[in-house]
Amino acid sequence: NDAAFQRGTQYLKNIRRHFPSYYSESTKRAIEAYSLYVRALNGDLDESAALRILKAEGGTQKANLELLGWLYPVLIDGKNTQSALRDLRRRLNNSVTETAGTAHFVTGYSEGAHLLLHSSRRVDGLLLEGLLRDQPKNDLVEKIVRGLLAHKKKGRWSNTQENVWVLLGLDRYVRV
C-alpha cells in the first residue's frame, strides 16, 4: 500500500530521530547507512548523507566493511561519489583474504555488533552483491561465491541474517 510505503520511506529519511540514546555513534552511523541502502534500492540516493557518514567514520580506509557494504550502492550510483567509490574499491582489495579457490572479507565491530546482528558471512554476501553491481567481472566474485558456499552446513548458514544476505548475493550472482 502506497501510504505505508511513504511512511516507511519517511521513517528511513529521519532514522536518526529514532535511535535510543545509549547507542554509540558508530552503531547509529551503521544503522543510518543501512537505511541509505534500503532507500537506494528505491532509487532515493542520499549522497550527502553517505559522504557525511564516511567522513565521520574516518573515511573508507577506517570504516567498518559492513557499513561500507550498505553505502556501496549509493557510491556506485551517486554523481558526486566517484572519489569515495575508488577508495572503497581499494579498501575491499586490501581487506580480502584469499586462498587458491575462495575469498572472504575480514571484518568485525569493536562495539555494537549484537545490536547490528553482525556476521562475517552477511558482510561477504552484502559485498558480493555490491561487487556484482560495480565490477561483475572482478576475479574476487567467483572466489567469494565459493567461500560462501563452503561455509554452508546442512543446507544453510549459521543464522537467518546470514541466510538472507548470502542468498541475496547469490541471487544477484546467478542473475548477472
Side-chain angles (χ1 to χ4, degrees):
N1 142 343
D2 194 49
F5 184 80
Q6 293 306 320
R7 282 193 311 275
T9 300
Q10 277 307 115
Y11 186 91
L12 291 175
K13 286 182 179 181
N14 298 301
I15 192 77
R16 289 195 71 82
R17 294 181 189 167
H18 304 286
F19 295 139
S21 60
Y22 56 87
Y23 280 15
S24 71
E25 280 304 312
S26 181
T27 299
K28 290 175 185 179
R29 285 190 295 269
I31 295 169
E32 184 178 9
Y34 179 53
S35 77
L36 293 176
Y37 171 87
V38 174
R39 289 172 57 195
L41 291 176
N42 194 42
D44 180 15
L45 298 179
D46 192 341
E47 296 174 41
S48 62
L51 294 173
R52 177 184 44 78
I53 290 169
L54 281 176
K55 183 178 180 183
E57 285 289 310
T60 56
Q61 299 309 310
K62 292 185 179 179
N64 184 281
L65 285 177
E66 185 169 33
L67 179 138
L68 293 175
W70 300 133
L71 296 179
Y72 207 169
V74 179
L75 300 180
I76 292 168
D77 295 333
K79 292 178 178 62
N80 302 307
T81 56
Q82 294 311 300
S83 175
L85 180 59
R86 278 191 305 277
D87 291 344
L88 171 62
R89 290 172 181 150
R90 185 173 31 255
R91 171 71 189 283
L92 293 181
N93 287 330
N94 292 334
S95 300
V96 70
T97 299
E98 294 182 70
T99 66
T102 66
H104 72 91
F105 293 97
V106 179
T107 186
Y109 279 94
S110 57
E111 58 181 78
H114 65 289
L115 296 172
L116 301 169
L117 304 172
H118 174 70
S119 154
S120 294
R121 291 308 135 242
R122 181 172 83 170
V123 172
D124 288 349
L126 176 63
L127 291 173
L128 172 64
E129 183 182 10
L131 274 171
L132 286 163
R133 288 191 67 228
D134 182 32
Q135 301 174 327
K137 296 189 185 304
N138 188 314
D139 293 340
L140 287 176
V141 168
E142 296 289 331
K143 288 183 167 191
I144 293 168
V145 168
R146 283 194 295 271
L148 287 169
L149 292 173
H151 281 90
K152 187 170 63 168
K153 292 187 171 93
K154 296 183 181 179
R156 61 184 180 83
W157 290 268
S158 295
N159 56 55
T160 54
Q161 286 291 312
E162 286 187 1
N163 287 337
V164 167
W165 290 99
V166 169
L167 289 173
L168 285 170
L170 292 175
D171 176 65
R172 181 169 298 272
Y173 172 75
V174 168
R175 286 186 285 130
V176 168

